[in-house]
């Protein structure tokens, strides 16, 4: 069997689960890893003894040179965009001479005029041939060519692998599908798993059409609809269903109504902030509170639409002394401190006594590099470096705690060696497969790079029109993909979900609308996000004159009447004085009985709670509670101040009667 997926992390997770199920011999790899393994194995036969060409992991340098050859000036960002466009073309089986027509038909928006991009594409291919190197798309093509054009290679591959499983099938591109078809050779021993509602990589050439059309292309296929969601609470699942319910287009045909299987949890928390800096500060504060309450930092994620949004949250978390990890940045095993740590661990094998416990040996080796286990530095880059080495120590603890049993034929098994030398081999294997250990820090990631991952607590931030959906999404298909991106973000959360946006990018900027894909939630326990265009003119006029109320706890803009009265979000912690609350209730009942009116005519329940929380001591402080005007101040102000000061409710009510 061969199981293929799209990321090294997903492949590693699949291998771990297969091992736990007793199916550890099943090969689980990414498309690229499987192709590379086959091309290397057959290189001598296919390349007539010339050997395997060098594989370039980044196109940036060659694309920059190709742009110069084509007369195109490209800075670092433009070169990255050109590389992405070339990857799309090659993954879509488009040759340089076909690019102009294909890009126009696909409504591509390349960084330069399509003719110039075609020239760069052609120059790039020519440069590769002259330098004798290949890229990842070439490697996939070589694997396809080896099977399609060499019957002996095809026979050997197909005899080794009879059954295939493809995970995340909605993300397959034409080149990967052609490789899968080559592996199969007309057989039907294939299982594909996918969710059309999670199609978010069409800009790279991925298409859900293979998933959508699978039952039609393979008439004998059995379709199993997986509707039970074991990851998230019913509350999170309910929001995900509401987001995707309005989807349109081809992918919507396979839309699922998920059913959450976990016990009930908290409702998703929706917040509006005056601007993005206020939003970032509130997120950092809440992260710190979650960690203090026992949620591991590695089980918290802040997800955003674009990588450019990361900086503000990095600064806010560093200021709040919250450790964080930026996903999608430098790979774990390519970090300078990690490479140095691995060198130190290999060197320590010679000087560490054999009887030294593994974790102790790892800690001592890393301490020699200046790392101190019990002295993490304050936030920012230094803390991020410290956490990377702490992750290696945590991995050694896990490795020493649960050693696998290695089979020794039919007779039985022996326990795996957990020496420092063996652990170094494990690190080398992980580095080769880019299987990074868990770093103890809040994850900062784009929605795209969060695909396939999950956390206990998730913050979805920057949910404003123009950011999500991006201003670059103009066609119906592009807007639907943005909707699916939000759906993916919501479904990353297991237990707790926060959604927010800043009304302005910065103080004094232009006011923005909330993300149009958020359903209108009218539950008064949460902020209400209204769909653009539904507010009546009278409401708009009133909002121009109404003062902006902010939560005194987290700073979010308050829109619900009860929240404005309380001066805080319903989900923010209450600082209510219970004894004062009881005095106020007793006093209100006595006054209402004397005046022969319902208790709420004196003060509503929300007003009583607001007074017990905010404990006003002056007329301006009492008037600051929404709904309390001059008449109530004159009528009950003296009594409220007396009760706040500790007066007896009955005596205070008696004075009210006399006055």
């Amino acid at each position: 069997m061969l199981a293929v997926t799209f990321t090294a992390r997903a492949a590693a997770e699949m291998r771990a689960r297969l091992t736990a199920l007793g199916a550890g011999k099943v090969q689980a790899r990414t498309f690229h890893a499987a192709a590379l393994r086959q091309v290397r194995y057959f290189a001598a036969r296919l390349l007539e003894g010339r050997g395997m060409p060098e594989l370039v992991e980044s196109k940036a340098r060659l694309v920059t040179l190709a742009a110069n050859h084509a007369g195109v000036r490209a800075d670092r960002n433009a070169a990255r965009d050109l590389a992405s466009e070339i990857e799309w073309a090659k993954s879509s089986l488009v040759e340089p001479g076909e690019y102009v027509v294909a890009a126009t038909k696909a409504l591509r928006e390349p960084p330069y005029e399509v003719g110039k991009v075609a020239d760069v594409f052609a120059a790039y291919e020519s440069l590769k041939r002259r330098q004798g190197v290949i890229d990842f798309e070439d490697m996939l093509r070589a694997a396809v060519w080896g099977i399609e054009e060499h019957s002996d290679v095809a026979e050997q591959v197909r005899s080794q692998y009879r059954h295939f499983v493809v995970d995340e099938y909605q993300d397959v591109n034409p080149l990967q599908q052609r490789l899968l078809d080559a592996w199969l050779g007309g057989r039907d021993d294939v299982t594909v798993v996918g969710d059309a509602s999670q199609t978010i990589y069409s800009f790279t050439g991925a298409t859900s059409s293979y998933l959508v059309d699978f039952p039609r292309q393979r008439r004998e296929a059995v379709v199993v609809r997986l509707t039970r969601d074991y990851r998230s609470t019913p509350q999170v699942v309910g929001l995900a269903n509401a987001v995707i319910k309005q989807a349109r287009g081809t992918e919507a045909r396979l839309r699922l109504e998920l059913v959450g299987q976990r016990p009930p949890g908290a409702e998703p928390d929706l917040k509006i902030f005056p601007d993005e800096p206020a939003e970032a500060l509130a997120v950092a504060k809440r992260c710190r509170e979650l960690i203090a309450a026992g949620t591991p930092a590695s089980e918290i994620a802040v997800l955003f639409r674009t990588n450019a949004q990361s900086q503000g949250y990095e600064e806010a978390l560093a200021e709040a002394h919250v450790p964080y990890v930026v996903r999608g940045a430098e790979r774990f095993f390519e970090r300078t401190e990690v490479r140095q740590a691995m060198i130190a661990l290999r060197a320590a094998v010679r000087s560490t006594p054999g009887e030294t416990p593994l974790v102790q040996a790892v800690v001592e080796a890393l301490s020699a590099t200046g790392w101190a286990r019990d002295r993490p530095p304050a936030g920012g880059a230094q803390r991020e470096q410290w956490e990377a080495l702490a992750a290696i120590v945590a991995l050694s603890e896990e490795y020493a705690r649960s050693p696998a049993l290695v089979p020794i034929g039919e007779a039985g098994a022996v326990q795996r060696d957990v020496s420092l030398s063996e652990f170094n081999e494990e690190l080398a294997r992980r580095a080769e497969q880019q299987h990074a250990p868990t770093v103890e820090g809040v994850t900062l990631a784009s929605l795209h790079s969060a695909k396939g991952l999950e956390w206990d607590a998730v913050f979805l931030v920057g949910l404003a029109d123009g950011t999500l959906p991006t201003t670059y999404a103009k066609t119906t298909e592009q807007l639907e993909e943005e909707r699916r991106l939000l759906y993916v973000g919501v479904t990353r959360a297991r237990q707790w979900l926060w959604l927010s946006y800043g009304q302005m990018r910065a103080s004094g900027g232009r006011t923005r609308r909330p993300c149009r894909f958020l359903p209108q939630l009218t539950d008064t326990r949460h902020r209400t996000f209204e769909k653009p265009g539904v507010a009546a003119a009278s409401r708009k006029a009133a909002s121009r004159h109404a003062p902006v109320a902010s939560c005194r706890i987290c700073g979010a803009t308050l829109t619900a009447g009860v929240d404005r009265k309380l001066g805080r979000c319903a989900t923010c912690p209450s600082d209510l004085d219970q004894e004062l609350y009881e005095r106020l209730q007793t006093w209100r009942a006595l006054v209402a009985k004397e005046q022969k009116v319902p208790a709420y005519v004196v003060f509503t329940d929300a007003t009583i709670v607001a007074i017990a929380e905010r404990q006003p001591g002056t007329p301006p402080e009492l008037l600051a509670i929404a709904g309390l005007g001059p008449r109530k101040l004159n009528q009950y102000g003296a009594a409220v101040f007396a009760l706040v000061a500790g007066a007896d409710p009955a005596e205070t009510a008696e004075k009210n009667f006399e006055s």
Side-chain angles (χ1 to χ4, degrees):
M1 290 191 70
L2 176 61
V4 287
T5 187
F6 291 84
T7 68
R9 185 185 181 101
E13 179 67 20
M14 196 181 292
R15 283 192 296 272
R17 295 190 185 193
L18 284 165
T19 300
L21 291 168
K25 291 185 178 181
V26 174
Q27 297 293 308
R29 303 184 183 279
T30 64
F31 270 101
H32 289 95
L36 178 60
R37 187 179 179 88
Q38 290 178 12
V39 171
R40 280 178 172 166
Y41 182 83
F42 293 112
R45 197 182 314 178
L46 298 175
L47 302 176
E48 299 177 353
R50 293 194 303 272
M52 179 76 179
E54 179 187 351
L55 178 65
V56 292
E57 294 198 2
S58 173
K59 293 181 174 66
R61 184 184 65 83
L62 281 174
V63 167
T64 302
L65 290 173
N68 290 335
H69 280 277
V72 175
R73 297 185 61 184
D75 59 16
R76 182 178 179 182
N77 291 330
R80 187 168 61 226
D81 291 341
L82 282 167
S84 296
E85 200 64 16
I86 291 172
E87 286 177 8
W88 168 80
K90 299 185 72 169
S91 296
S92 302
L93 301 174
V94 173
E95 301 297 333
E98 303 166 339
Y99 174 79
V100 172
V101 174
T104 303
K105 185 178 179 180
L107 302 177
R108 300 291 294 181
E109 294 185 353
Y112 299 94
E113 187 268 327
V114 288
K116 290 185 176 181
V117 176
D119 292 341
V120 175
F121 186 6
Y124 169 79
E125 292 297 305
S126 178
L127 271 173
K128 281 199 295 92
R129 284 192 295 271
R130 289 203 302 269
Q131 295 188 12
V133 298
I134 61 173
D135 58 23
F136 282 107
E137 292 75 37
D138 294 329
M139 183 179 60
L140 290 175
R141 289 185 174 207
V144 171
W145 171 74
I147 296 173
E148 290 183 347
E149 301 297 327
H150 296 77
S151 57
D152 58 329
V153 173
E155 183 180 355
Q156 188 168 346
V157 170
R158 291 167 187 166
S159 64
Q160 179 173 356
Y161 295 117
R162 285 280 313 280
H163 307 277
F164 296 84
V165 176
V166 186
D167 190 25
E168 303 285 4
Y169 192 55
Q170 76 281 348
D171 291 333
V172 76
N173 62 43
L175 177 54
Q176 291 162 337
Q177 180 63 42
R178 187 160 174 178
L179 177 57
L180 178 61
D181 290 339
W183 285 335
L184 285 166
R187 297 171 295 177
D188 60 3
D189 292 324
V190 58
T191 298
V192 299
V193 185
D195 181 0
S197 296
Q198 296 192 47
T199 305
I200 60 173
Y201 292 110
S202 64
F203 64 93
T204 68
T207 172
S208 63
S209 62
Y210 299 114
L211 173 66
V212 174
D213 294 339
F214 192 88
R216 185 170 58 84
Q217 296 292 335
R218 298 175 181 273
R219 296 294 184 180
E220 301 301 316
V222 176
V223 178
V224 181
R225 295 173 71 84
L226 305 174
T227 59
R228 297 183 185 180
D229 185 309
Y230 295 93
R231 171 188 294 160
S232 308
T233 64
Q235 287 74 15
V236 172
V237 171
L239 178 58
N241 286 335
V243 167
I244 207 64
K245 184 178 181 180
Q246 303 301 319
R248 298 292 181 268
T250 302
E251 288 80 7
R253 284 163 44 195
L254 295 182
R255 181 177 55 221
L256 298 175
E257 180 80 14
L258 300 178
V259 181
Q261 302 297 301
R262 291 179 66 111
E267 291 287 343
D269 205 0
L270 290 92
K271 292 180 180 287
I272 307 170
F273 294 91
D275 51 42
E276 288 184 352
E279 182 184 14
L281 289 173
V283 167
K285 179 182 177 184
R286 188 70 181 113
C287 286
R288 187 174 60 194
E289 293 169 352
L290 287 170
I291 294 170
T295 302
S298 59
E299 286 296 344
I300 303 172
V302 180
L303 308 181
F304 31 74
R305 174 62 180 83
T306 65
N307 288 320
Q309 294 169 265
S310 176
Q311 184 62 34
Y313 291 92
E314 292 179 46
E315 293 174 356
L317 290 169
E319 186 175 326
H321 302 292
V322 174
Y324 63 86
V325 180
V326 181
R327 182 169 179 80
E330 190 176 22
R331 291 182 176 183
F332 181 84
F333 287 104
E334 293 172 3
R335 296 178 64 102
T336 301
E337 65 272 16
V338 173
R339 291 201 303 268
Q340 292 174 344
M342 292 177 69
I343 292 172
L345 288 169
R346 289 195 295 269
V349 171
R350 296 188 296 271
S351 58
T352 302
E355 67 276 8
T356 306
L358 174 62
V359 177
Q360 179 184 335
V362 171
V363 170
E364 289 176 354
L366 296 183
S367 297
T369 69
W371 182 80
R373 185 172 195 174
D374 299 323
R375 293 197 301 276
Q382 292 185 48
R383 179 61 181 262
E384 191 174 359
Q385 293 172 354
W386 185 92
E387 293 289 355
L389 301 191
I392 294 177
V393 174
L395 182 62
S396 72
E397 293 172 338
E398 178 185 337
Y399 193 75
R401 188 168 53 246
S402 55
L405 294 178
V406 181
I408 53 171
E410 299 296 326
V414 295
Q415 196 171 53
R416 181 179 64 197
D417 180 17
V418 290
S419 67
L420 183 56
S421 178
E422 181 72 11
F423 181 64
N424 283 334
E425 291 182 15
E426 169 70 4
L427 286 178
R429 183 185 65 81
R430 282 173 167 260
E432 181 183 2
Q433 298 172 353
Q434 288 301 327
H435 182 194
T438 300
V439 177
E440 193 58 38
V442 172
T443 299
L444 296 176
S446 70
L447 287 165
H448 282 102
S449 63
K451 179 73 161 51
L453 304 177
E454 57 189 74
W455 296 268
D456 285 345
V458 170
F459 293 80
L460 296 181
V461 299
L463 299 181
D465 258 21
T467 302
L468 183 67
T470 174
T471 53
Y472 299 111
K474 296 180 174 64
T475 67
T476 301
E477 292 77 11
Q478 290 168 339
L479 287 169
E480 285 301 319
E481 183 145 330
E482 294 289 300
R483 185 198 307 277
R484 295 193 295 271
L485 198 55
L486 176 60
Y487 175 77
V488 167
V490 170
T491 54
R492 299 308 93 196
R494 296 192 192 104
Q495 299 176 12
W496 190 84
L497 179 63
W498 157 308
L499 306 97
S500 63
Y501 84 105
Q503 290 178 308
M504 295 173 284
R505 290 192 184 279
S507 181
R510 183 174 61 85
T511 301
R512 304 180 297 176
R513 291 175 173 178
C515 171
R516 71 188 72 176
F517 305 131
L518 283 168
Q520 185 173 357
L521 302 181
T522 55
D523 189 332
T524 57
R525 289 174 294 173
H526 308 285
R527 314 293 68 70
T528 300
F529 280 79
E530 294 185 337
K531 294 178 181 177
V534 302
S538 59
R539 183 174 296 178
K540 290 181 179 178
S543 68
R544 287 197 294 268
H545 303 289
V548 176
S550 299
C551 173
R552 67 178 188 275
I553 307 297
C554 72
T557 299
L558 303 176
T559 57
V562 172
D563 295 353
R564 291 170 67 90
K565 185 179 288 293
L566 292 175
R568 64 171 175 83
C569 304
T571 51
C572 281
S574 170
D575 48 1
L576 181 141
D577 183 321
Q578 187 63 38
E579 292 184 359
L580 172 56
Y581 176 70
E582 292 172 358
R583 290 199 300 272
L584 286 164
Q585 280 193 313
T586 303
W587 167 82
R588 180 180 66 166
L590 293 170
V591 172
K593 182 178 180 181
E594 176 66 22
Q595 295 180 352
K596 296 182 173 58
V597 296
Y600 69 81
V601 173
V602 180
F603 281 145
T604 65
D605 289 345
T607 300
I608 292 287
V609 172
I611 293 171
E613 287 187 348
R614 300 166 76 170
Q615 303 179 36
T618 64
E621 290 176 349
L622 186 57
L623 289 172
I625 297 175
L628 268 173
R631 188 175 68 82
K632 293 280 189 182
L633 174 64
N634 291 333
Q635 197 171 6
Y636 303 123
V640 169
F641 299 143
L643 290 166
V644 169
D648 179 82
E651 293 177 2
T652 305
E654 186 65 31
K655 291 180 181 178
N656 252 126
F657 306 153
E658 294 173 356
S659 62

